[in-house]
Structures are given as C-alpha cells and as structure tokens.
Amino acid sequence: MTYFVTIVSLLGDWLLFTFPLYQGLMELNDYQELLVGFDEISGKWKMISPWWWLVPVVKIQKERTRGYRILREATKSKSERHRALSFIDKATAWYFVALAGWLKMIASSYEVLEAFGCGEAVWLLIVMVVLMTAGGLFNAYYRIGKKRVSRKEEEFKPGDEVSND
C-alpha cells in the first residue's frame, strides 16, 4: 500500500506542476497582442545586466523599474494599464503555483525512491526530476501548440461551416 500511496502522491504533485504551467501558458496566449507591443517598446530600453543576479535584490528592483517604464510607455489608457497589470499578476501567480507543484514533485520523487529502497541514489532522484520536469513542460507546450489546437477546432467544426472566426 505504501508504494501505491507514494506513487499516487507523486502523480498528483506532477499534475500540480504541469497544469498550472499550462494554465499560465494559455493566459499568456490570451495576451499575445499585448506582449508584441511590449516587445517592440522594450527593445528601446537598455537590458539589465545578468551580473546583477550576484545581488538578486538589486537585479529584481532594476528589472521592476525597467518593466514599469516599459509599461508606462506601452499603455495609453488606464484600462490598458489595468489589463497589463492583471496579466502580470496572473502570470506571476501561475508561475508560483507551478513552482510549488514542481518543488512538491521533487519531495514526492524522493519519497518514491525511499519507498523502493533507493533513497540514497541522488543521481536517480536527479534523473527522475529531470524526466518529470521535461514531461511536464512537454505536456503544457503540447497542449497550447497550434497543431493540437487546430486539430481540436476541426473536431468541433460542423461539416458545412466555412467561417474562420
């Protein structure tokens, strides 16, 4: 019974990683036109050096300041600013939910290895986490992929429909 419970726990934690990631990616797609505008404007602003990661607090503050300046330039109205801030908040929230699931998945992976008597095999834990992470990323990106979305749209389209709305 211990094996079953630890494997089910691992599966649940993997789902808590991959599907919030998927949800976040879907929401990113909803804001694609907003992102294009930001990309165009952000090219005008000097990038923050990655060396600032040696002092993470400073790096984050510099990136935030740069982001707010880009946001101010990219948005012309209060409603556009509100939409952009809502997008940033949603993306951040889904990122942290997926991160929490990923961290929990690591712990569950260790528990599975421990249940099978392989708890000391760090290399096995690393391989397991890498494979499960890759699988979760593949799952999320596959689900938002144009090929899959087009196929799903075809399944729902009545035979006589000709509009591409």
Side-chain angles (χ1 to χ4, degrees):
M1 187 66 161
T2 301
Y3 297 137
F4 175 75
V5 171
T6 55
I7 290 172
V8 168
S9 176
L10 176 60
L11 177 61
D13 293 336
W14 181 81
L15 292 170
L16 285 173
F17 159 64
T18 190
F19 281 97
L21 181 64
Y22 169 51
Q23 179 68 35
L25 289 171
M26 283 192 313
E27 290 189 18
L28 286 175
N29 280 343
D30 291 344
Y31 290 91
Q32 196 60 41
E33 73 280 354
L34 181 67
L35 293 175
V36 169
F38 282 129
D39 281 348
E40 292 170 2
I41 292 171
S42 68
K44 300 176 187 176
W45 291 87
K46 184 181 173 194
M47 296 291 292
I48 307 300
S49 170
W51 286 104
W52 281 109
W53 279 118
L54 295 172
V55 187
V57 174
V58 175
K59 170 72 169 170
I60 292 167
Q61 182 59 40
K62 286 182 170 290
E63 290 289 0
R64 182 178 298 147
T65 301
R66 179 178 181 268
Y68 286 148
R69 288 179 179 157
I70 293 167
L71 177 64
R72 211 177 0 251
E73 188 176 330
T75 57
K76 306 297 180 216
S77 68
K78 188 175 182 176
S79 67
E80 283 182 355
R81 254 186 314 283
H82 180 343
R83 185 170 179 236
L85 289 172
S86 173
F87 160 72
I88 291 167
D89 289 344
K90 287 177 186 175
T92 301
W94 284 118
Y95 166 77
F96 280 108
V97 172
L99 178 62
W102 184 75
L103 294 172
K104 188 78 174 87
M105 182 186 74
I106 293 172
S108 291
S109 298
Y110 178 76
E111 290 171 6
V112 165
L113 291 176
E114 221 175 31
F116 284 95
C118 304
E120 300 301 318
V122 175
W123 67 271
L124 195 53
L125 177 64
I126 292 170
V127 167
M128 211 169 144
V129 169
V130 166
L131 290 175
M132 290 178 56
T133 301
L137 291 170
F138 174 79
N139 176 55
Y141 280 98
Y142 167 75
R143 288 178 175 280
I144 65 162
K146 290 179 183 177
K147 187 186 256 186
R148 179 182 177 271
V149 171
S150 295
R151 193 174 66 246
K152 289 294 179 187
E153 286 173 351
E154 286 297 317
E155 290 176 16
F156 292 114
K157 188 170 86 175
D160 59 345
E161 184 179 323
V162 291
S163 176
N164 284 337
D165 294 337

